[in-house]
Amino acid sequence: MSAPADAAGQRETIGFVGLGKMGLPMARRLCEAGHSVVAFDMTPAALDEAAAFGAERAGSPAEVGRRAGVVITMLPNVQVVRAAVLGENGVATTLPAGSLQIDMSSSSPQGTAELGAALKERGIALVDAPVSGGVPKAKTGELAIMVGSDDPAAVKRALPILGAMGRKIFRTGRLGSGQAMKALNNLVSAAGMVAAMEALLVGKKFGLDPALMVEILNGSTGRNNTTENKLNQFVLSGSYASGFGLDLQLKDVRTALELAAQLGLDLPVGAPTVEAIAAAAEFLGPGADHTAMMRHLEEKLGVHL
Ligand code: NAD
């Protein structure tokens, strides 16, 4: 794909803030698609990795804003996004009016609406475009991307850029709606994960073989993303290294539960799912992969795979 050109026919430089497990392969896809990328992360090693595939280094989010016309954020949560965009030395301190901010982090619908209002005052458009598919799909440029925006022109400008990172690009509606959808997707995924892990432990205590159980689930109606893409790969292998942190999963399912509460809905399955993930996060401590949830369930149920 060729890089988009601005009104003067110049190639538009894309800023990228947040070069973590997802941000690095996404920024790499942009470079490989021919975009010129200027990147920042607070971890110098991440910037070294980005420089190795052709991104230019920036020393701060403000420098990214100064050098790019479109800035993508791929950061842990809404508070970090807000600080990196609106805070001291943030992207918006230098990004000129007429620019575009695309937040691809998993943030929150409410926080996105607030950020959009603050950016609009400066003449900057915001599109929320959270992703699903994890590190493997980020590497291959096959992410699912959920695009929320009130501004059709901003979406038109974002789409060719998003096309370098995703295969399935969905328009979800108004600004923040991508974040609502993403949080709900992750609640569905988390409920499936907890159910599959619990079933494995029940089966193990009964005398079923866990590896055979995974094979049967995947050939039966119990299959889901966890049974297909996580149990063998990251749980039975003992690697617990899917690349998606338990703290990030907890943030997402809490966002979904908050959304439900704001709408006056108590979730009979969603609420205990969030509790189970919160308990695992407390037990395992910071830095745990979300698939390590199994280690907490093993302790809790007194059954080990
Ligand atoms: P990560 O923790 O690996 O990366 C976050 C990066 O942000 C790190 O490199 C960190 O140094 C950087 N960072 C933190 N604060 C910063 C700041 N103030 N300024 C600049 N850089 C800063 O997280 P990740 O797994 O890459 O996830 C990023 C986002 O994508 C999260 O919102 C997550 O929920 C979402 N997400 C992750 C996955 C996944 O499988 N990992 C899948 C879909 C969505």
Side-chain angles (χ1 to χ4, degrees):
M1 186 187 299
S2 62
D6 67 13
Q10 299 293 307
R11 240 163 56 138
E12 186 158 63
T13 295
I14 298 172
F16 206 107
V17 180
L19 301 164
K21 293 184 192 73
M22 293 294 286
L24 267 177
M26 289 162 67
R28 183 184 196 122
R29 290 287 310 174
L30 289 170
C31 287
E32 286 170 356
H35 294 287
S36 152
V37 174
V38 56
F40 174 73
D41 192 285
M42 63 183 199
T43 308
L47 271 178
D48 291 343
E49 275 196 61
F53 58 71
E56 292 174 41
R57 296 164 194 265
S60 66
E63 189 185 337
V64 172
R66 197 175 302 118
R67 294 169 59 186
V70 176
V71 176
I72 294 172
T73 37
M74 192 55 178
L75 292 163
N77 58 46
V78 64
Q79 292 83 6
V80 177
V81 171
R82 202 175 162 86
V85 176
L86 295 178
E88 194 186 336
N89 239 352
V91 172
T93 59
T94 49
L95 197 62
S99 301
L100 171 63
Q101 172 81 38
I102 307 175
D103 184 24
M104 302 190 74
S105 327
S106 306
S107 168
S108 83
Q110 178 76 23
T112 298
E114 288 166 10
L115 180 63
L119 289 175
K120 198 172 180 180
E121 281 177 14
R122 300 165 197 238
I124 301 166
L126 176 66
V127 167
D128 55 310
V131 307
S132 182
V135 175
K137 300 286 185 195
K139 284 184 175 164
T140 57
E142 293 176 305
L143 291 165
I145 306 181
M146 302 155 223
V147 179
S149 172
D150 302 317
D151 182 342
V155 173
K156 195 172 171 203
R157 190 171 172 189
L159 283 177
I161 298 167
L162 298 177
M165 296 174 279
R167 281 284 155 76
K168 290 176 278 181
I169 301 178
F170 302 99
R171 291 292 315 277
T172 49
R174 67 179 188 270
L175 186 67
S177 62
Q179 296 295 354
M181 184 63 233
K182 167 64 185 170
L184 292 169
N185 173 76
N186 278 26
L187 183 59
V188 173
S189 180
M193 179 183 87
V194 174
M197 288 179 172
E198 285 181 351
L200 231 54
L201 293 174
V202 176
K204 169 77 183 188
K205 189 160 188 183
F206 177 81
L208 290 167
D209 171 40
L212 180 63
M213 283 188 75
V214 174
E215 193 182 334
I216 294 171
L217 285 168
N218 285 336
S220 308
T221 53
R223 72 180 174 280
N224 64 29
N225 185 45
T226 293
T227 67
E228 290 185 331
N229 298 316
K230 297 177 190 175
L231 289 180
N232 276 332
Q233 296 84 339
F234 307 116
V235 176
L236 296 185
S237 72
S239 78
Y240 304 110
S242 76
F244 182 41
L246 184 62
D247 51 346
L248 295 177
Q249 184 184 43
L250 178 59
K251 164 209 56 168
D252 293 339
V253 294
R254 278 186 168 150
T255 300
L257 205 62
E258 277 163 25
L259 179 65
Q262 283 159 13
L263 297 167
L265 303 171
D266 287 329
L267 304 185
V269 174
T273 299
V274 177
E275 271 172 38
I277 290 165
E282 197 177 336
F283 174 80
L284 293 163
D289 192 82
H290 79 297
T291 56
M293 167 95 196
M294 181 61 103
R295 291 183 33 225
H296 178 241
L297 289 174
E298 286 179 324
E299 288 304 317
K300 199 172 155 62
L301 302 185
V303 182
H304 294 266
L305 290 176

